[in-house]
Amino acid sequence: MPQPDEKKDEDLHAKDGKVLHPHLLNENVVKTQYAVRGELYLRAEQLRKEGKEIIFTNVGNPHALGAKPLTFTRQVLALCAAPFLLDHPKVEDMFPADAIARAKKVLAAFKGGVGAYTDSRGNPHVREEVARFIEKRDGVPSNPDHIFLTDGASVAVRLCLNAMIRHDRDAVLVPIPQYPLYSASIRLYGGTLVGYYLDESRGWGLSTEELRRSLQEAREEGKLVRGLVFINPGNPTGQCLSKENLQELIKFAYEEKIVLMADEVYQENVYQDERPFVSAKKVMWEMGEPYRSHVELLSFHTVSKGTAGECGLRGGYVEMTNIHPGAIEEVYKCASINLSPNTIGQIALSVLVNPPKPGDPSYDQYIKEKASELASLRRRAHMVTDGFNALDGVTCNFTEGAMYSFPQIKLPAKALEAAKAAGKAGDVFYCLKLLEATGISTVPGSGFGQEDGTFHLRTTILPREEVMTHFVEKFDKFHKDFMKQYS
């Protein structure tokens, strides 16, 4: 038996003397998994280093797959990052007048320029612009003091989850399939994820019956369900929620006293006309009382998605509606630990929510660039979905919105036996074979959650149209060869 002092040393150090040893780390860190950058991605990186051409469709990263930045956004950013250009004698030859004017206005609001800290909630000028954007979009008042600017929407989600989760009895309802940000963050903060299943047979439909089933089971297990996540448009499933769906969610949250977490980062990415995007806040306001004043709502948006696609600039926000002022103060305290969100991301967000207006020199080009990219994304959504549905043993709901397709693959028994022998889940086995054969890097459905006995994968629709043609051809050949080998 170890003596007390020896046991104390074992708690502090591993046998090799290391303090930061896997066995001595926070258990929540060790158990946290993030499938989007998991086994498949790491293998893809290894193959890339060995010289294999890889099509990274595992993550929604538009610029990495050939999307071009919006010109006006980058012009404003360039002038703000290099303000001496504003004094250049030919600045008006190099930049349009509205980009120059916007940069001057931004720099006047950012005391010390982009190299200085801002308020921990973000620059007041940009928060005011976000509030006006929300008011214009929804016809609903917005308080800039209830808006937190963050380094991408993911940071905003984690900020809120960290404040919400107190211990492992605290639980959050999350759609299955879900974006692994939620499972990873809830695990990291010591809470419990409670999944509610979307119905694949109804276009990944959402039902309150399933929500109530999941909630009841969690409560019977002694869980305290505090939050409800929904993603609209969906990730990885690509469905767009109707106004009626949102009304059901709002009523459910009101009746069960649960905080709504509205992940609306793909609100610009809509590829059908039957269900245009409408925000949860707008629907809640239109429902009137008691919902308008009593449902606690956290709404997230970002510059990383949409036609901007500025993932690397890390700009996003959360708007807090009907949240207790004291709770907002506590979240502000947590945000202050990081001092401030990055300034470049804040300026990109400023342009996103306050773009050129009709009559401005940059307006026509800005609108043309956005419309062209959205039209191309709509075509690519059809290309990918049609390609999957043409394959034997593959079914795929149409990608109504967001940036992904999530086909179901019916794997033959022989393939499942081979996967088991290799120590892999069926969908992981399939995706690894796909990667090795074609260089297409996807994410297995098991990383998002799926009904038992089903197998899926997620791929983005982001490769450019000329590349997407080859993507579909490669996938077609691989799948036919795979099925022939294992049938």
Side-chain angles (χ1 to χ4, degrees):
M1 292 291 291
Q3 297 301 309
D5 286 348
E6 294 175 0
K7 184 66 173 70
K8 183 178 180 181
D9 287 344
E10 288 178 5
D11 289 340
L12 290 172
H13 313 107
K15 290 182 179 179
D16 60 3
K18 298 292 187 182
V19 174
L20 290 181
H21 187 280
H23 298 306
L24 296 177
L25 294 179
N26 181 332
E27 184 182 73
N28 292 328
V29 172
V30 176
K31 291 185 176 181
T32 295
Q33 301 292 327
Y34 188 67
V36 173
R37 292 286 173 91
E39 178 183 1
L40 265 293
Y41 171 76
L42 296 176
R43 177 59 180 153
E45 274 293 303
Q46 181 182 358
L47 290 172
R48 182 188 62 79
K49 291 175 182 177
E50 293 171 0
K52 188 176 183 67
E53 183 180 355
I54 304 296
I55 304 175
F56 284 99
T57 68
N58 59 299
V59 64
N61 194 8
H63 292 188
L65 290 169
K68 301 299 182 186
L70 296 173
T71 303
F72 182 75
T73 302
R74 290 303 184 90
Q75 288 171 332
V76 173
L77 287 170
L79 289 166
C80 290
F84 51 82
L85 291 175
L86 292 167
D87 299 323
H88 193 283
K90 294 188 176 181
V91 65
E92 292 180 357
D93 296 331
M94 296 185 289
F95 295 91
D98 52 348
I100 295 170
R102 175 66 66 86
K104 289 180 177 178
K105 187 173 183 179
V106 168
L107 289 170
F110 280 72
K111 304 302 181 185
V114 299
Y117 290 133
T118 68
D119 182 90
S120 297
R121 283 173 299 185
N123 185 279
H125 170 72
V126 181
R127 285 190 282 119
E128 183 70 37
E129 287 181 304
V130 172
R132 301 294 80 79
F133 161 79
I134 294 168
E135 290 178 352
K136 181 179 179 181
R137 183 194 66 190
D138 297 339
V140 177
S142 177
N143 185 344
D145 289 335
H146 295 170
I147 293 168
F148 285 71
L149 310 186
T150 54
D151 293 338
S154 297
V155 171
V157 169
R158 296 203 308 271
L159 181 69
C160 295
L161 287 172
N162 193 22
M164 184 183 298
I165 295 170
R166 302 163 299 176
H167 43 66
D168 61 3
R169 288 182 63 209
D170 282 344
V172 181
L173 284 160
V174 178
I176 302 297
Q178 55 95 31
Y179 178 45
L181 164 68
Y182 294 98
S183 54
S185 300
I186 292 166
R187 170 79 254 188
L188 185 62
Y189 298 134
T192 299
L193 183 148
V194 176
Y196 63 92
Y197 284 92
L198 303 177
D199 188 346
E200 185 172 10
S201 67
R202 296 194 303 113
W204 297 112
L206 181 154
S207 77
T208 52
E209 291 79 11
E210 170 63 12
L211 276 171
R212 293 195 185 282
R213 179 204 62 78
S214 189
L215 175 65
Q216 183 63 28
E217 284 188 7
R219 286 178 171 169
E220 288 174 356
E221 294 172 3
K223 301 301 182 185
L224 306 172
V225 179
R226 294 167 61 79
L228 165 57
V229 173
F230 65 92
I231 307 172
N232 181 35
N235 175 12
T237 49
Q239 86 285 10
C240 294
L241 296 181
S242 67
K243 184 176 178 180
E244 291 72 28
N245 287 148
L246 294 170
Q247 289 171 340
E248 291 172 354
L249 284 166
I250 291 163
K251 288 179 181 178
F252 179 83
Y254 174 76
E255 292 167 2
E256 303 296 343
K257 294 182 171 54
I258 295 174
V259 178
L260 275 182
M261 301 182 70
D263 185 332
E264 299 175 335
V265 301
Y266 296 100
Q267 59 189 261
E268 190 182 358
N269 297 96
V270 176
Y271 315 124
Q272 44 74 41
D273 302 317
E274 292 75 27
R275 287 182 302 284
F277 172 79
V278 58
S279 76
K281 183 175 182 180
K282 177 179 175 66
V283 173
M284 188 172 77
W285 188 265
E286 291 175 346
M287 289 171 70
E289 300 299 350
Y291 311 105
R292 180 185 294 180
S293 301
H294 292 88
V295 173
E296 297 168 88
L297 174 65
L298 303 168
S299 304
F300 305 95
H301 196 18
T302 184
V303 302
S304 298
K305 309 306 177 185
T307 52
E310 295 281 12
C311 299
L313 298 185
R314 310 311 298 138
Y317 74 78
V318 56
E319 183 194 26
M320 301 183 175
T321 304
N322 296 328
I323 304 298
H324 191 286
I328 294 176
E329 290 177 8
E330 294 300 327
V331 173
Y332 180 59
K333 179 176 67 178
C334 292
S336 299
I337 295 171
N338 291 328
L339 293 177
S340 92
N342 86 86
T343 53
I344 295 296
Q346 292 184 59
I347 296 169
L349 184 63
S350 167
V351 177
L352 174 75
V353 299
N354 187 16
K357 305 293 189 293
D360 290 348
S362 299
Y363 176 78
D364 289 344
Q365 181 181 12
Y366 186 82
I367 293 300
K368 181 180 178 181
E369 289 175 350
K370 287 169 67 69
S372 174
E373 184 63 12
L374 271 178
S376 175
L377 283 165
R378 184 177 284 223
R379 290 191 294 271
R380 283 177 268 166
H382 282 281
M383 289 172 70
V384 174
T385 306
D386 292 347
F388 283 136
N389 284 324
L391 298 174
D392 182 42
V394 180
T395 56
C396 186
N397 285 307
F398 176 60
T399 301
E400 298 176 345
M403 295 179 169
Y404 315 98
S405 287
F406 197 65
Q408 181 177 158
I409 317 289
K410 292 181 171 60
L411 297 175
K414 190 177 176 183
L416 294 177
E417 291 170 6
K420 185 177 181 181
K424 306 291 183 185
D427 51 3
V428 174
F429 181 79
Y430 181 93
C431 290
L432 281 170
K433 292 289 187 182
L434 172 68
L435 173 64
E436 300 280 352
T438 67
I440 297 172
S441 176
T442 59
V443 187
S446 49
F448 302 90
Q450 54 195 351
E451 290 273 8
D452 290 342
T454 67
F455 301 98
H456 300 77
L457 63 82
R458 188 192 79 166
T459 177
T460 71
I461 61 167
L462 294 175
R464 309 311 293 173
E465 289 183 63
E466 60 274 16
V467 177
M468 189 61 79
T469 301
H470 299 302
F471 171 94
V472 173
E473 290 172 352
K474 283 184 172 185
F475 204 107
D476 181 275
K477 181 180 185 306
F478 163 78
H479 182 76
K480 289 175 179 175
D481 291 344
F482 181 92
M483 297 299 279
K484 183 178 180 180
Q485 179 180 355
Y486 289 105
S487 292

